Amino acid sequence: MQLRKVTAASAAVLALALSATACGGSDKNDSGSSGGGKIKVGIKYDQPGLGLQEPDGSFSGFDVDVATYVAGQLGYKPSQIEFVQTKSADRENALARGDVKFIAATYSITDERKQKVDFAGPYLLAHQDLLVKKDSTIAKGTDLNGKNLCSVTGSTSAQNVQKTIAPKANLKEVSTYSECIAGLQSGSVDAVTTDDSILAGFAAQDKYKGQFKLAGLKLSNENYGIGVKKGDSATLDKINKALEKMVGDGSWEKAVTKNFGPADYKNEPAPKIGVIVK
């Protein structure tokens, strides 16, 4: 008799515990409206003007401003946004795993990537360009012949310049763009190449203000989109509507001016949703 009482009591405790667990459980990335939850958003941590983690732990940059606006339209306050560092090589996997709800991280829309993720936008049209010193005479791609050109190791931007534009350029490949910018400042390199938006972000930093300029060559078209998990059409539609509203109410232009203005960045007008410039 006593055994039956203990067993019944244990069963009741177990049932209560299971019930509490079921009620208290939550998805690792809350995808609903705010309701006290959080949303995880993928950004870069090391790109000034676009996605940068500041020394105090806060975040700044155009992508951060776009992501914050979009999350707001999805129902989340800034305090409910958790920014997650998302490196280029892991962006598709992060979305597939559900680590983040969406990614705003200089994420160029390409046919290859569209096979793995869906893209909202584009929200910025960037171009491959050159960053040079303010008094530099480099005005066109062929001016790089015989000059020292810097980019990160394996960069398609550097390969494009060296193979098709200035085959006699002396290419220096390093691990980060920060190293390239330091080399440009010291004079050990004559130009740095990657997307103009990234270059403008570096040039806009306080320690570099007034020292550099963009050549404005438009060597390629880079349509930045917001990546979402493949098949998540509901989130995709909401983000596209948010981007349209951001452009319409002037917030997009303000974000461009704030983050790129000090570099005298001649940005393209806000692109139309779904229109990819080849």
Side-chain angles (χ1 to χ4, degrees):
M1 185 68 175
Q2 183 66 26
L3 178 59
R4 283 198 300 270
K5 289 183 178 179
V6 173
T7 302
S10 299
V13 171
L14 178 59
L16 182 61
L18 289 174
S19 176
T21 301
C23 293
S26 62
D27 184 79
K28 64 180 177 179
N29 177 33
D30 182 5
S31 59
S33 59
S34 59
K38 287 185 175 291
I39 185 171
K40 294 183 179 180
V41 179
I43 61 168
K44 293 290 183 66
Y45 274 24
D46 59 353
Q47 290 183 340
L50 287 154
L52 182 70
Q53 184 176 39
E54 301 287 356
D56 64 359
S58 63
F59 298 94
S60 66
F62 181 70
D63 282 347
V64 173
D65 289 344
V66 170
T68 300
Y69 187 98
V70 167
Q73 294 302 302
L74 295 180
Y76 295 89
K77 300 176 182 178
S79 61
Q80 293 174 294
I81 303 171
E82 181 180 340
F83 287 117
V84 179
Q85 183 176 25
T86 313
K87 296 182 178 180
S88 297
D90 195 45
R91 287 180 295 203
E92 289 81 21
N93 290 331
L95 288 169
R97 291 191 303 259
D99 295 346
V100 294
K101 189 63 177 175
F102 65 84
I103 293 176
T106 59
Y107 206 177
S108 295
I109 302 172
T110 67
D111 291 337
E112 180 180 2
R113 288 171 178 165
K114 284 165 67 175
Q115 295 177 17
K116 300 177 181 179
V117 303
D118 287 334
F119 284 100
Y123 64 90
L124 184 72
L125 176 59
H127 306 283
Q128 182 188 341
D129 201 357
L130 303 175
L131 189 69
V132 296
K133 280 193 171 181
K134 204 75 171 181
D135 59 356
S136 175
T137 57
I138 295 175
K140 56 185 182 297
T142 53
D143 290 341
L144 288 171
N145 284 314
K147 302 291 187 180
N148 295 321
L149 173 67
C150 188
S151 195
V152 297
T153 302
S155 165
T156 55
S157 298
Q159 294 169 7
N160 181 37
V161 170
Q162 195 174 46
K163 291 180 179 179
T164 65
I165 299 171
K168 294 183 180 179
N170 303 315
L171 178 61
K172 179 180 181 181
E173 295 181 290
V174 295
S175 59
T176 67
Y177 285 114
S178 295
E179 294 176 67
C180 282
I181 302 300
L184 183 62
Q185 184 181 41
S186 69
S188 62
V189 299
D190 300 296
V192 181
T193 188
T194 186
D195 296 356
D196 53 7
S197 57
I198 297 175
L199 296 173
F202 276 105
Q205 288 184 289
D206 289 339
K207 60 183 176 181
Y208 296 131
K209 281 182 181 177
Q211 297 184 44
F212 307 132
K213 66 180 180 181
L214 290 163
L217 302 187
K218 298 184 179 180
L219 302 174
S220 72
N221 295 319
E222 306 296 335
N223 300 270
Y224 289 174
I226 292 182
V228 302
K229 188 174 183 178
K230 191 72 175 175
D232 188 357
S233 57
T235 300
L236 189 72
D237 291 343
K238 290 177 182 178
I239 293 178
N240 277 329
K241 290 178 181 177
L243 292 175
E244 289 178 339
K245 184 175 180 181
M246 186 177 187
V247 172
D249 67 15
S251 298
W252 185 90
E253 190 63 42
K254 289 180 181 178
V256 169
T257 301
K258 182 183 81 171
N259 292 293
F260 302 128
D264 196 26
Y265 177 48
K266 302 298 190 296
N267 64 282
E268 297 279 4
K272 293 184 178 180
I273 300 301
V275 178
I276 306 300
V277 179
K278 299 292 187 180

